[in-house]
Amino acid sequence: MDRDRILLTPGPLTTTLRTKLAMLKDWGSWDADFNAVTASLRSRLLDVVHGQQTHVVVPLQGSGTFSVEAAVATVVPHDGHVLVLDNGAYCKRAARLSQMMGRQVSVLAFGEDEAVSAAALDERLATSPGITHVILIHCETGTGVENPLVEVAAVCERHGKGLIVDAMSSFGALPIDARSVRFDALIAASGKCLEGVPGMGFVLLRQAILDSCAGRSQSLAMDLHDQHVYMGKTGQWRFTPPTHVVAALSEAVTQYVEEGGQPARLARYADNCRTLIDGMAALGFRPLLRAELQAPIIVTFHAPAHPAYDFRRFYEGAKARGFMLYPGKLTQVETFRV
Ligand SMILES: *Cc1c(COP(=O)(O)O)cnc(C)c1O
């Protein structure tokens, strides 16, 4: 192969040469030059969702799940009660990590091939006054469903509940407007739709709830309030930052803005998604989801019914031709994802 294989996976994904080249420099983690990269990156991440007036953004070392865990620990009080809107694998992960951190957790379950329902949430909140926070996965990467963020946020606001949004696989591609959609925390990461390399996440925290978050986290390393306060004072990360990952994400965001930001990225992904689904249909592959539920980010296909089909062989065949696929994440039906 004279070029890297193309990653048709939701992250890590194929990065541009410019993004790769941004990692060829070493940075001092305490140095003013690196602090300037962090500050500029934080500001531009807020711009993506128009959050300059309403939110702060706190970066955190680690994969995306670290930031989900940190957001729940920082935002939900120890005696809080979390309701998880569950239509897939990442929802179940959010419920599990909330429970493991000692928060009371309830689950409102939906089918994996449907979106979660704001009306069902409305009913549940009306009869369960003890719930303090709702967790929504914006795009459920396990299947590719887009969940109704705007409607869910409106229901949470009407009932006076906090909302935590895992926007890991949607941030930067699907529109999110912090000026009109109220959320307490929204989580994303470097290696998905912003097209950086994996290694850090970040959480947008609503300014109005920041003070109440002090001292809530039972974890030292995952305390986003402390990370925010320390960064405000020193411009530095509390513990060793993933310097090369930060530099690569900064360069990736520069290209994101040059491309035309969120509308341009959504248009490119939507175009790719249409090409993919149409081309696969011509080959006889059926997507799992009805078209109106499908986010243009990751598509789940049914495995072919042919008795000779074997995902490993299919995967190796595609890999030999330069493309990396993703296994399915459903328990009931055999699928794969692109
Ligand atoms: C990728 C992803 C995560 C984080 O997964 P990591 O493996 O920790 O990076 C969380 N939620 C969703 C919806 C995701 O797509």
Side-chain angles (χ1 to χ4, degrees):
M1 295 290 295
D2 59 358
R3 65 165 166 81
D4 283 345
R5 294 187 177 89
I6 292 179
L7 298 179
L8 297 177
T9 55
L13 38 69
T14 293
T15 57
T16 65
L17 183 60
R18 271 173 71 184
T19 299
K20 290 181 185 67
L21 287 173
M23 292 184 285
L24 291 181
K25 178 173 167 180
D26 301 321
W27 301 81
S29 63
W30 39 264
D31 187 75
D33 292 349
F34 182 70
N35 294 346
V37 175
T38 298
S40 142
L41 175 60
R42 289 177 80 194
S43 173
R44 288 177 293 152
L45 290 175
L46 279 176
D47 289 342
V48 172
V49 297
H50 315 285
Q52 296 284 3
Q53 302 305 319
T54 49
H55 290 74
V56 299
V57 63
V58 188
L60 185 73
Q61 299 92 332
S63 88
T65 305
F66 291 56
S67 284
V68 179
E69 200 159 315
V72 173
T74 304
V75 167
V76 181
H78 294 199
D79 61 355
H81 182 173
V82 172
L83 177 67
V84 179
L85 304 179
D86 175 7
N87 67 337
Y90 288 92
C91 309
K92 289 176 177 63
R93 186 188 292 178
R96 176 136 192 270
L97 64 86
S98 301
Q99 192 168 32
M100 287 181 72
M101 290 188 294
R103 271 57 169 189
Q104 191 181 341
V105 175
S106 297
V107 168
L108 187 54
F110 301 89
E112 285 187 311
D113 56 356
E114 52 177 283
V116 307
S117 153
L121 172 65
D122 196 17
E123 259 172 53
R124 180 63 173 265
L125 290 179
T127 55
S128 310
I131 287 162
T132 58
H133 292 78
V134 172
I135 299 184
L136 172 75
I137 312 296
H138 190 195
C139 170
E140 172 43 82
T141 319
T143 52
V145 176
E146 177 178 348
N147 282 316
L149 170 62
V150 174
E151 291 79 2
V152 165
V155 169
C156 290
E157 184 168 10
R158 198 159 64 240
H159 287 269
K161 308 298 181 188
L163 174 63
I164 298 173
V165 184
D166 173 349
M168 208 71 67
S169 64
S170 59
F171 189 91
L174 298 183
I176 300 171
D177 192 336
R179 296 168 301 189
S180 54
V181 177
R182 197 192 74 151
F183 52 83
D184 285 359
L186 184 136
I187 308 127
S190 52
K192 288 194 166 160
C193 299
L194 292 177
E195 302 183 0
V197 302
M200 61 170 279
F202 51 90
V203 182
L204 291 99
L205 292 171
R206 192 152 62 92
Q207 287 168 11
I209 67 148
L210 261 182
D211 289 345
S212 68
C213 293
R216 251 180 203 166
S217 175
Q218 73 282 4
S219 160
L220 174 71
M222 313 275 264
D223 186 339
L224 295 173
H225 183 267
D226 207 37
Q227 177 95 313
H228 171 67
V229 169
Y230 186 85
M231 234 173 223
K233 270 197 230 145
T234 65
Q236 299 166 18
W237 299 52
R238 276 181 317 163
F239 309 123
T240 306
T243 44
H244 298 72
V245 174
V246 177
L249 181 58
S250 177
E251 178 55 40
V253 171
T254 299
Q255 294 163 77
Y256 174 77
V257 173
E258 286 171 10
E259 185 182 351
Q262 179 268 321
R265 189 135 306 179
L266 177 61
R268 171 157 63 87
Y269 287 2
D271 191 40
N272 287 346
C273 183
R274 250 185 323 269
T275 304
L276 173 71
I277 290 177
D278 291 351
M280 292 294 275
L283 295 171
F285 288 94
R286 286 182 305 119
L288 173 80
L289 299 174
R290 286 177 283 132
E292 66 271 24
L293 299 178
Q294 177 71 61
I297 293 161
I298 184 162
V299 182
T300 300
F301 290 100
H302 286 285
H306 196 282
Y309 173 78
D310 169 46
F311 177 73
R312 285 264 32 124
R313 270 185 64 205
F314 181 49
Y315 176 88
E316 292 300 338
K319 181 177 169 183
R321 291 161 181 80
F323 299 97
M324 311 282 264
L325 301 175
Y326 214 48
K329 215 173 181 133
L330 299 186
T331 41
Q332 302 300 318
V333 242
E334 176 152 10
T335 55
F336 64 93
R337 289 176 292 169
V338 185

